[in-house]
């Protein structure tokens, strides 16, 4: 029902997004470094639940709402851009720190870790735009049920994202230790991350594209 090209396309989009610093990566890394791999993996379960919410919305045709109400889609993009700018400023400001910098964060219980992972993903502008604007472009109504295609493509995105995020969680501690021993590399990592977040925020805010929806 879904073409191989569509699956490969959404997988590449998902890979590019998950490798770009964003709210999910910042939260998972900071929690994994502060509280350990187990806490990072519980947080990742919350992120996975967030993906599930977006996927359910995509299957239900939520993109149609944004097509019919363009100002709502614009509001979502601008709010996401503002969030990314805030993350960029927190990273780049004088005295700012990288997500890989060990910090004395309070120890959260599994329930809160899960909830924060879920909330972080639901507020992640990259994921919102992916499901509202990008994923529908890979759906071809001529190939069958649009909802089933959305489900399969969303499952592909989730598989890629969770696999990469799990690797990030499992290696965050080692990367943190490496950067602690090499302050120069830590500064480079902080500036690269902050610059990417800022550039992404500007790009999202300046993007004039509209929400896409599969129709047939």
């Amino acid at each position: 029902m879904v073409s191989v090209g569509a699956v490969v396309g959404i997988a590449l989009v998902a890979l590019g997004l998950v490798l770009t610093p964003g709210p999910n990566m910042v939260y998972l890394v900071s929690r994994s470094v502060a509280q350990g791999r187990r806490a990072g993996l519980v947080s990742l379960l919350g992120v996975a639940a967030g993906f599930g919410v977006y996927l359910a919305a995509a299957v239900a045709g939520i993109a149609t709402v944004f097509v019919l109400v363009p100002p709502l889609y614009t509001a979502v993009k601008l709010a996401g851009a503002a969030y990314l700018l805030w993350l960029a400023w927190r990273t780049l400001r004088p005295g700012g720190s990288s997500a890989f910098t060990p910090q004395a964060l309070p120890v959260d219980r599994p329930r809160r870790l899960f909830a924060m992972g879920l909330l972080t993903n639901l507020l992640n502008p990259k994921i919102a735009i992916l499901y509202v604007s990008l994923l529908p472009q890979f759906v071809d109504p001529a190939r069958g049920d649009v909802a089933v295609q959305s489900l399969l493509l969303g499952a592909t995105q989730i598989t890629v994202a969770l696999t990469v995020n799990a690797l990030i969680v499992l290696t965050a501690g080692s990367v943190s230790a490496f950067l602690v021993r090499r302050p120069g590399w830590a500064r480079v990592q902080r500036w690269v991350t902050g610059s990417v977040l800022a550039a992404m925020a500007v790009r999202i805010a300046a993007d004039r594209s509209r929400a896409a929806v599969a129709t047939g």
Side-chain angles (χ1 to χ4, degrees):
M1 180 175 291
V2 179
S3 69
V4 174
V7 172
V8 172
I10 199 68
L12 291 176
V13 169
L15 182 61
L17 288 177
V18 75
L19 290 176
T20 303
N24 287 350
M25 182 184 291
V26 171
Y27 177 70
L28 291 174
V29 168
S30 61
R31 186 47 62 182
S32 298
V33 171
Q35 200 172 331
R37 292 177 176 175
R38 182 177 179 181
L41 291 174
V42 173
S43 300
L44 181 57
L45 289 177
V47 171
F51 283 131
V53 171
Y54 273 115
L55 178 55
V59 172
I62 192 66
T64 305
V65 176
F66 289 95
V67 170
L68 296 176
V69 190
L72 183 59
Y73 180 57
T74 300
V76 169
K77 290 200 298 182
L78 292 179
Y83 184 36
L84 289 176
L85 275 178
W86 178 75
L87 288 175
W89 165 244
R90 197 173 70 169
T91 302
L92 295 173
R93 68 184 177 183
S97 61
S98 162
F100 288 97
T101 302
Q103 299 180 35
L105 298 176
V107 175
D108 287 339
R109 295 182 179 276
R111 179 179 297 180
R112 179 171 174 78
L113 292 171
F114 180 90
M116 288 304 298
L118 170 62
L119 183 62
T120 298
N121 200 17
L122 291 179
L123 296 177
N124 188 342
K126 295 195 301 180
I127 306 305
I129 290 174
L130 168 65
Y131 275 89
V132 171
S133 187
L134 297 179
L135 186 142
Q137 297 181 32
F138 291 93
V139 175
D140 180 3
R143 300 187 68 89
D145 192 291
V146 169
V148 174
Q149 290 187 63
S150 297
L151 179 63
L152 294 175
L153 292 171
T156 300
Q157 179 272 326
I158 292 173
T159 299
V160 172
L162 293 184
T163 299
V164 175
N165 278 319
L167 293 174
I168 290 173
V169 167
L170 295 175
T171 59
S174 299
V175 173
S176 174
F178 173 85
L179 294 176
V180 166
R181 294 193 300 268
R182 296 167 176 80
W185 280 100
R187 285 193 294 273
V188 170
Q189 187 274 331
R190 184 164 65 91
W191 277 94
V192 168
T193 298
S195 298
V196 169
L197 288 171
M200 219 176 177
V202 172
R203 181 173 182 179
I204 289 174
D207 181 24
R208 301 301 180 186
S209 66
R210 298 181 178 181
V213 63
T215 57

